[in-house]
Amino acid sequence: MRVVLMGPPGAGKGTQAKKVVGALDLAHVSTGDMFRRMVAAGGDLGKRIQAIIGQGHLVPDKETSEVVDAFLTQESLWDSFMLDGFPRTVPQAEMLDAMLARRKKSLDAVVAIDLSEQNVLARLGGRRSCLACGSVYHEVSAPPKKPGVCDRDGKALQVREDDKPDKIRERLRIYESQTQPLLDYYAKSGVLKRVPGDAEADEVAGRILAVLRGQR
Ligand code: AP5
Ligand code: MG
């Protein structure tokens, strides 16, 4: 099964992907996580990506698509993936279609998690991240056992640079102008499924699993 997970910043894409990929035996492919790993690796490329992400802007389309194509080197990965945060522009969707067509494959479903702007602000305002291992917490809905410390590796939790209020606004603006048009793109090809994201994380996961199991 090949699935794309969409939704505004903070809708819960990463949280949901981690919850459902095991049950469906899919590889979780997050471009945001890939870019953060490239930033952590340093070098000129890492610094350039860091500047783009830190501003809440998008990495250029061609570069992003090449990173995804390079990540999915094992052909078996093209049979069972959940893409989290890619594509997020129409040109990226067209590039993904071309990558799939080259392998004589297509998408089974695009799941869009819907969340109001008010909820997005509450989710991102309370998010705390472990930049070392990628674990994600929330001050209210998913707190770590010890405040400010990652349960997994004991490192200090941080606020992502792009979770500062002005950067969240910029990301929302870009989502509306560049990513929302993708909903029409995928509605036209008949693969779009919309899932309300305003419930506890396990309940949202149940909704996503129900939609995807109905798809099999
Ligand atoms: P990326 O990391 O993908 O950021 P995003 O799309 O803005 O989404 P987030 O990761 O912020 O939110 P999420 O939906 O995963 O929510 P989460 O599960 O963490 O991308 C970062 C940057 O990389 C981009 O801005 C861009 O620069 C670049 N980039 C990435 N992909 C790109 C592409 N394709 N093209 C170009 N550039 C690209 O949840 C949020 C919070 O809410 C957490 O604290 C969580 O604990 C909490 N939470 C989750 N679900 C619930 C729930 N149901 N109830 C209560 N709390 C919840
Ligand atoms: Mg995420």
Side-chain angles (χ1 to χ4, degrees), residues 146-196:
K146 195 171 157 202
V149 178
C150 179
D151 292 348
R152 241 170 97 188
D153 64 9
K155 300 255 165 69
L157 298 179
Q158 294 177 48
V159 175
R160 261 169 53 177
E161 187 61 33
D162 57 347
D163 278 350
K164 308 225 162 112
D166 57 328
K167 302 301 175 341
I168 295 175
R169 277 195 297 278
E170 180 67 1
R171 285 157 70 200
L172 278 167
R173 191 187 64 75
I174 290 178
Y175 176 79
E176 275 168 29
S177 62
Q178 302 212 39
T179 308
Q180 257 177 352
L182 270 185
L183 297 174
D184 276 347
Y185 181 91
Y186 286 126
K188 278 189 193 124
S189 58
V191 288
L192 182 68
K193 314 281 168 197
R194 301 190 75 144
V195 171

Side-chain angles (χ1 to χ4, degrees), residues 8-15 18 28 30-33 36 84-85 88 124 127 136 160 171:
K13 299 180 294 296
T15 302
K18 284 176 195 154
H28 177 197
S30 156
T31 40
D33 288 348
R36 281 184 287 278
D84 156 5
R88 61 177 93 193
L124 294 182
R127 177 162 62 183
V136 173
R160 261 169 53 177
R171 285 157 70 200

Side-chain angles (χ1 to χ4, degrees), residues 89-214:
T89 65
V90 170
Q92 286 183 19
E94 289 166 351
M95 287 182 220
L96 175 61
D97 284 347
M99 288 186 242
L100 286 160
R102 256 201 329 270
R103 295 166 172 93
K104 300 192 170 38
K105 298 185 193 295
S106 57
L107 288 177
D108 296 292
V110 173
V111 176
I113 305 175
D114 291 319
L115 197 70
S116 69
E117 185 167 330
Q118 193 189 351
N119 282 335
V120 162
L121 296 175
R123 297 263 181 101
L124 294 182
R127 177 162 62 183
R128 299 293 176 268
S129 306
C130 178
L131 300 184
C133 77
S135 296
V136 173
Y137 302 86
H138 190 278
E139 279 194 320
V140 178
S141 63
K145 292 193 183 94
K146 195 171 157 202
V149 178
C150 179
D151 292 348
R152 241 170 97 188
D153 64 9
K155 300 255 165 69
L157 298 179
Q158 294 177 48
V159 175
R160 261 169 53 177
E161 187 61 33
D162 57 347
D163 278 350
K164 308 225 162 112
D166 57 328
K167 302 301 175 341
I168 295 175
R169 277 195 297 278
E170 180 67 1
R171 285 157 70 200
L172 278 167
R173 191 187 64 75
I174 290 178
Y175 176 79
E176 275 168 29
S177 62
Q178 302 212 39
T179 308
Q180 257 177 352
L182 270 185
L183 297 174
D184 276 347
Y185 181 91
Y186 286 126
K188 278 189 193 124
S189 58
V191 288
L192 182 68
K193 314 281 168 197
R194 301 190 75 144
V195 171
D198 57 345
E200 283 196 2
D202 284 342
E203 194 175 330
V204 179
R207 292 173 186 171
I208 293 175
L209 284 172
V211 159
L212 291 177
R213 286 187 170 133

